[in-house]
Amino acid sequence: MQSYEHILLAVDYSQESSSLIEKAQVMVERFQAKLSVIHVIDAIPMPDTSYGTVIDVNQEVDDPLLAAEQMKFKELCQQLQINPAEQWLVWGIPATEIINVAKHVQADVVLIGYRHHHGLAALFGNNAAEVMRHVQCDVWTVTLR
Ligand code: AMP
């Protein structure tokens, strides 16, 4: 089986994402790979400030919603022992930013959850399918139940 050196884990904090996180830990162990983690902030409006779209988790921010996002992401990264350089808290459209960061960090595999979508959501809301369509590296999907 092919080995991987750099895994990019995409997390959305949904209830089922613990199985995705567990799989990431198994993969890191199995391949002795580096792990980068990305969460894309898409649920709160981007404040009119100079923060930029990549958020430094340690930067002091005035916006309480953004501060809460930083805290949540920081806790996850601490739990997974992720180096600061491999922590990606980014504003934007999830699939787009996952694809951008995968390219930027030269990940050789993206680990992402897959859930069955129905109707219009199947066309427009399926991040795993969108990432698979456009990213240049491998994609491992974990079916979320
Ligand atoms: P969805 O397409 O919303 O069913 O999400 C499928 C998977 O895409 C999730 O299990 C995550 O791996 C990833 N994902 C969705 N939303 C985000 C997000 N905001 N940031 C990072 N990854 C995400």
Side-chain angles (χ1 to χ4, degrees), residues 3 13 19-20 37 44 106 120 122 127 131 133 136 139:
S3 185
Y13 308 131
S19 66
L20 187 63
V37 180
I44 62 171
Q106 297 181 306
L120 282 181
N127 287 298
V131 169
R133 211 169 292 138
Q136 285 165 4
V139 178

Side-chain angles (χ1 to χ4, degrees), residues 24 35-36 64 78 115 118 122-124 126 138:
L35 181 63
S36 290
Q78 268 165 8
R115 58 174 70 83
H118 305 282
L123 283 178
F124 302 112
N126 191 329
D138 285 358

Side-chain angles (χ1 to χ4, degrees), residues 41 44-45 47 49 51-52 55-57 59-72 89 91:
I41 305 173
I44 62 171
T49 65
Y51 299 141
I55 309 299
D56 178 346
V57 288
Q59 184 184 351
E60 287 262 335
V61 295
D62 300 329
D63 184 330
L65 294 175
L66 182 55
E69 290 281 352
Q70 284 176 308
M71 184 58 72
K72 212 168 9 167
L89 182 61
W91 235 298

Side-chain angles (χ1 to χ4, degrees), residues 2-55:
Q2 181 189 342
S3 185
Y4 292 109
E5 289 177 7
H6 193 171
I7 301 161
L8 177 64
L9 167 67
V11 279
D12 64 357
Y13 308 131
S14 62
Q15 265 192 339
E16 317 98 309
S17 54
S18 56
S19 66
L20 187 63
I21 291 167
E22 277 169 26
K23 295 255 164 57
Q25 290 172 307
V26 171
M27 281 180 80
V28 166
E29 189 74 13
R30 165 81 174 75
F31 297 118
Q32 294 296 303
K34 179 158 81 176
L35 181 63
S36 290
V37 180
I38 179 168
H39 174 70
V40 183
I41 305 173
D42 64 340
I44 62 171
M46 185 170 173
D48 187 17
T49 65
S50 58
Y51 299 141
T53 53
V54 178
I55 309 299

Side-chain angles (χ1 to χ4, degrees), residues 13 21 57 67-82 87:
Y13 308 131
I21 291 167
V57 288
E69 290 281 352
Q70 284 176 308
M71 184 58 72
K72 212 168 9 167
F73 190 66
K74 222 166 153 172
E75 279 172 12
L76 174 71
C77 290
Q78 268 165 8
Q79 179 200 330
L80 292 173
Q81 300 181 321
I82 306 297
Q87 302 177 8

